[in-house]
């Protein structure tokens, strides 16, 4: 199972919006509406931010939103804040009781 | 407070064995499937293994199949990962994670470091 493809880095200024893409295949992202997104600050564990493509867990800001089209999922962060600076990872259920993550995107808030 | 605490990480020689533990608290452990996920330095997370709530069903990534064994003791609220025939490429922080809605990992531990090196 190959890792999902994410851009290595994205950046934006406070208040702006950014979008991170996550490209998989018809065997994972394209087959299931089961993409999740995780935020990871340095030295910390990942934190669930989006699940089932577009749903937010309790406590996650509505500035975070997700979508999917075909084999590509996307995470959008609006109204960028300094604390959003982190690594972001997508993950998809890949069938046969297995999961695949993306390689990660480093978000820099300028 | 919902919490997962891993332990057991260490420096081990190639070909060696190690058992990781994950102590759960703050939720009904026996009601949830659990996962192990690892993350090599400066790399993305990689799913390793999953076990269902009563321990009767398990699954593994191809890279660890036949070498790693996931298990659980619901009486002790503890998840385990027995790792045998360790290789340099197994070097990573190992996280235990609770299976959440929508096939997610909704609660993560702080991780335990496993280094495989001679």
């Amino acid at each position: 199972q190959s890792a999902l493809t994410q851009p290595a880095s994205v950046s934006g200024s406070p208040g702006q919006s950014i979008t991170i893409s996550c490209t998989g295949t018809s065997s994972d992202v394209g087959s299931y509406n089961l993409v999740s997104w995780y935020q990871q600050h340095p030295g910390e564990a990942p934190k669930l931010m989006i699940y089932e493509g577009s749903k937010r867990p309790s406590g996650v800001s509505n500035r975070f939103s997700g979508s999917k089209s075909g084999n590509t999922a996307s995470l959008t962060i609006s109204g960028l804040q300094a604390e959003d600076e982190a690594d972001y990872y997508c993950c998809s259920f890949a069938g046969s009781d297995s999961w695949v993550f993306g390689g990660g995107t480093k978000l820099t808030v300028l | 407070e919902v919490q997962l605490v891993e332990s057991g990480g260490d420096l081990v020689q190639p070909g060696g064995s190690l058992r990781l533990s994950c102590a759960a608290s703050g939720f009904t452990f026996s009601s949830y499937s659990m996962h192990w996920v690892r993350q090599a330095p400066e790399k993305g997370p990689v799913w390793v293994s999953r076990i269902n709530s009563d321990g009767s069903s398990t699954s593994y990534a191809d890279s660890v199949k036949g070498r790693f064994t996931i298990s659980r003791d619901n009486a002790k609220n503890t998840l385990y990962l027995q790792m045998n025939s360790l290789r340099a490429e197994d070097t990573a922080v190992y996280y235990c994670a609770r299976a959440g809605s929508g096939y997610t990992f909704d609660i993560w531990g702080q991780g335990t470091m496993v280094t495989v090196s001679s």
Side-chain angles (χ1 to χ4, degrees):
Chain A
Q1 194 76 39
S2 298
L4 306 177
T5 300
Q6 298 180 233
S9 63
V10 298
S11 63
S13 299
Q16 288 186 330
S17 295
I18 63 94
T19 296
I20 300 171
S21 62
C22 168
T23 301
T25 70
S26 57
S27 297
D28 39 62
V29 175
S31 285
Y32 308 95
N33 194 28
L34 294 172
V35 173
S36 50
W37 288 89
Y38 301 85
Q39 176 192 65
Q40 186 177 34
H41 288 109
E44 297 183 2
K47 174 188 175 184
L48 177 65
M49 305 300 286
I50 294 287
Y51 68 101
E52 293 180 4
S54 60
K55 297 179 180 179
R56 281 187 308 276
S58 174
V60 172
S61 170
N62 59 9
R63 299 185 298 105
F64 291 82
S65 62
S67 63
K68 192 192 89 164
S69 178
N71 295 339
T72 299
S74 299
L75 172 71
T76 297
I77 308 174
S78 59
L80 269 180
Q81 299 179 1
E83 58 262 36
D84 298 333
E85 186 163 293
D87 294 325
Y88 290 84
Y89 298 96
C90 60
C91 179
S92 177
F93 180 67
S96 300
D97 211 18
S98 69
W99 285 257
V100 60
F101 281 88
T105 298
K106 181 176 180 61
L107 169 62
T108 300
V109 180
L110 302 170
Chain B
E1 178 192 7
V2 175
Q3 194 171 12
L4 297 171
V5 178
E6 302 93 336
S7 60
D10 205 348
L11 169 64
V12 60
Q13 292 189 341
S17 297
L18 207 57
R19 188 176 85 153
L20 305 183
S21 299
C22 169
S25 60
F27 66 99
T28 305
F29 180 70
S30 59
S31 295
Y32 289 86
S33 292
M34 296 293 295
H35 299 269
W36 287 99
V37 177
R38 69 185 181 185
Q39 187 172 26
E42 306 304 317
K43 299 290 187 181
V46 173
W47 173 78
V48 172
S49 182
R50 168 204 166 270
I51 188 168
N52 71 343
S53 58
D54 66 5
S56 61
S57 174
T58 60
S59 59
Y60 299 91
D62 288 344
S63 59
V64 306
K65 202 172 293 183
R67 300 188 299 123
F68 289 13
T69 302
I70 190 171
S71 63
R72 64 192 298 162
D73 186 335
N74 285 344
K76 295 183 177 179
N77 290 340
T78 303
L79 176 72
Y80 302 101
L81 186 66
Q82 177 67 43
M83 304 185 295
N84 298 331
S85 302
L86 282 162
R87 307 166 180 168
E89 53 265 36
D90 295 319
T91 294
V93 174
Y94 283 73
Y95 295 98
C96 63
R98 190 178 77 173
S101 301
Y103 289 69
T104 62
F105 312 91
D106 69 345
I107 302 294
W108 297 64
Q110 87 289 350
T112 188
M113 184 69 203
V114 173
T115 303
V116 184
S117 174
S118 55

